[in-house]
Amino acid sequence: MALAVSALVLVALTKARMLLLRIAGEVEGAVRPGAPGAPERFIVVAPADGGPPWWELRLATAASDDVRLLAYRVEAPAAGPGVLVRREGGRFAPPDAPEPAGTPALAGVRTFRVRCFDGSEWKAAWTLPALPRVVELAVGVDDGAGGALELTTAVALPLAGAS
């Protein structure tokens, strides 16, 4: 039984790593607010006090051939780990268009944390009209024993200091 649980945890960690690298690439391609055609700023929403450790990330990214609007947030059942959901929309969607349907990106999420470095300190939330200098991303998956195994990476944004 322990071997089966270990195999499931290994699969979950592999999926978490692949997703973390995907999000890091999208963050690297973040469109600088104020750039022509940038319809949305880089936004990080910290969790509510006393709530689960699940941040929300919204950004416009040019990581692919076109600028896309992305959102990541954890949706949860009544209790236990949640599902990290990815939403993607085009930059030419009408302002009153409904939020795009989400695609489950990773199940068994215990933590999803995003911190931003402004050049002097780390911030748990980001609504400034500029890109942060560095973004730290962390995903923690259920370890099968009630805890979490966490993976973390940081992304330096090359346009953050550009004027």
Side-chain angles (χ1 to χ4, degrees):
M1 181 69 170
L3 186 57
V5 170
S6 296
L8 290 174
V9 170
L10 183 59
V11 168
L13 277 174
T14 300
K15 289 179 180 180
R17 181 179 179 275
M18 289 171 39
L19 178 62
L20 197 60
L21 292 174
R22 178 183 187 174
I23 297 171
E26 292 166 343
V27 168
E28 272 186 331
V31 174
R32 186 174 53 146
E40 188 173 327
R41 298 183 314 187
F42 188 95
I43 297 172
V44 174
V45 180
D49 288 338
W54 298 331
W55 273 246
E56 180 178 349
L57 172 64
R58 296 192 306 260
L59 70 147
T61 183
S64 62
D65 292 341
D66 188 21
V67 174
R68 305 299 292 168
L69 304 179
L70 301 177
Y72 285 93
R73 73 170 167 250
V74 178
E75 295 179 0
V83 176
L84 186 56
V85 175
R86 181 181 190 271
R87 287 182 168 68
E88 179 177 344
R91 66 179 169 165
F92 297 115
D96 58 348
E99 182 177 57
T103 303
L106 183 64
V109 175
R110 292 270 181 197
T111 59
F112 176 59
R113 185 178 62 250
V114 182
R115 295 189 318 153
C116 299
F117 187 68
D118 65 3
S120 61
E121 67 179 320
W122 287 97
K123 308 268 186 186
W126 191 269
T127 57
L128 298 175
L131 290 175
R133 293 187 180 267
V134 180
V135 177
E136 180 188 70
L137 303 163
V139 175
V141 294
D142 188 31
D143 67 0
L149 297 171
E150 191 171 278
L151 300 172
T152 305
T153 192
V155 179
L157 299 176
L159 295 177
S163 53

